[in-house]
Amino acid sequence: MTTYARTEPTDQEPDIRARPPLVREFLLVAGLFLAYKLGRRAANGHVEEAFRNAGNVWDLERALHLPGEGAVQGLLLHSQPLIQAANTYYAAVHFPATALFLVWLYWRRPLHYLWSRRVLAVLTGGALVLHLAVPLAPPRMLPAAGLVDTGQVYGPTVYGATPATDTMANQFAAMPSLHVGWAATVALGLIAATRSRWRWLWLLHPAITLLVVVATANHYWLDAIVVVAMLAVTLAVLRIPGSGKGPGARTGMSARTDGMRGDAVRMEGDARSYVAASPPARTPAGDAVPVRAAAESAVRAAADTGAGR
């Protein structure tokens, strides 16, 4: 019986040969994150431009007939515990969830870790360019939006009360929403790296994140639309590990192994057809020699050897 190689991730031991050195990866990820934070800080001070861009984004959303952010916020404002839960999700889930995602992939799916780290790095770098090029005040600051700054009113919040002098974060970097971008990357990465029938539930993470960033008035719909478009371009360039043809594709080694085994199976079939069409050989005494059985045994042994290389 021919045995075929698995072509999808399983819960077995990871291939430690694909796992990069831990210290190097820690320094690399920490360095990238620090560069991003410093880059965001460099975009501070463009207050007037940020509010002008916010007005343009608001007008564009209305021209596109996108639903008002206030309708989503109004649903949550009916319950103070619910809006506080949304604020907590915004403040406490974004970074820890992404960090845990990378740590788990590093130990359990090294190839998928490398791919996810690259996707996050490219997406974050692209977002930083937009933050510098298009400073944008979030909808909670825009008078025309008429929205509540739920973080300041109900808590908890990660931002200072005076955005122009906030030394901890650049509050004028709403476009694009990395909360949504990172959450979508985490969900897609876990879906690609696992095979549980429940893995599609990871899509709830970006869905809840989108609801939260809009309801708390930290982002516009367009902030999420832009980051999803950036992620789509990134995924088109950085393919899922092992194929260059997208999720679920085989690794190169699996493909080569399956190819060798397929060749062996075809050889065995051709030999059987040939033997079946050949008359049995006879000894000088006239006794038939079991050519077919002997040939099939030899071919089967050759096929097993080829498939096991």
Side-chain angles (χ1 to χ4, degrees):
M1 182 176 65
T2 305
T3 303
Y4 293 94
R6 290 186 180 271
T7 60
E8 69 276 345
T10 66
D11 289 330
Q12 296 178 355
E13 288 300 315
D15 184 359
I16 61 174
R17 294 169 298 177
R19 185 184 295 151
L22 178 59
V23 174
R24 189 194 74 182
E25 284 303 303
F26 177 80
L27 293 176
L28 177 60
V29 172
L32 290 172
F33 179 73
L34 181 61
Y36 169 71
K37 294 295 288 184
L38 293 176
R40 277 176 60 104
R41 291 282 304 278
N44 273 335
H46 303 279
V47 178
E48 184 177 341
E49 184 181 359
F51 277 98
R52 184 169 60 251
N53 290 334
N56 293 335
V57 168
W58 183 259
D59 292 340
L60 178 58
E61 285 192 344
R62 307 294 74 81
L64 295 174
H65 302 290
L66 293 177
E69 286 83 353
V72 179
Q73 187 178 81
L75 295 175
L76 272 67
L77 287 177
H78 289 297
S79 169
Q80 183 171 334
L82 192 58
I83 198 66
Q84 287 177 331
N87 290 334
T88 302
Y89 197 95
Y90 180 85
V93 175
H94 177 51
F95 287 109
T98 307
L100 287 174
F101 163 70
L102 289 175
V103 169
W104 184 82
L105 285 183
Y106 179 85
W107 288 110
R108 299 300 303 170
R109 303 287 187 272
L111 286 175
H112 286 81
Y113 162 78
L114 291 172
W115 171 75
S116 298
R117 188 249 287 154
R118 290 170 186 146
V119 170
L120 285 171
V122 171
L123 183 64
T124 305
L128 179 58
V129 171
L130 268 182
H131 292 161
L132 295 171
V134 188
L136 183 67
R140 57 188 165 82
M141 298 183 191
L142 188 65
L147 298 174
V148 177
D149 187 342
T150 61
Q152 294 295 336
V153 175
Y154 300 99
T157 182
V158 294
Y159 299 122
T162 53
T165 59
D166 191 350
T167 59
M168 298 300 295
N170 177 13
Q171 297 191 43
F172 300 107
M175 174 78 74
S177 170
L178 277 181
H179 272 72
V180 174
W182 285 14
T185 302
V186 168
L188 294 176
L190 289 172
I191 289 171
T194 59
R195 283 296 178 268
S196 167
R197 68 176 63 183
W198 304 106
R199 68 188 185 281
W200 295 101
L201 291 177
W202 287 113
L203 292 174
L204 289 174
H205 178 40
I208 294 173
T209 300
L210 175 60
L211 175 66
V212 163
V213 300
V214 173
T216 57
N218 282 295
H219 287 285
Y220 305 90
W221 293 114
L222 280 177
D223 297 339
I225 293 172
V226 169
V227 83
V228 169
M230 293 173 61
L231 179 59
V233 173
T234 303
L235 295 179
V237 175
L238 300 176
R239 303 300 182 106
I240 295 291
S243 69
K245 292 186 178 181
R250 297 177 298 178
T251 64
M253 182 175 295
S254 297
R256 288 194 297 272
T257 303
D258 287 351
M260 289 190 297
R261 290 178 175 175
D263 291 340
V265 171
R266 285 192 294 272
M267 289 172 55
E268 182 178 356
D270 292 342
R272 284 176 174 174
S273 299
Y274 174 79
V275 171
S278 301
R282 296 184 176 276
T283 63
D287 296 329
V289 178
V291 176
R292 180 174 180 177
E296 286 184 351
S297 299
V299 171
R300 195 174 298 115
D304 291 341
T305 302
R309 285 182 226 170

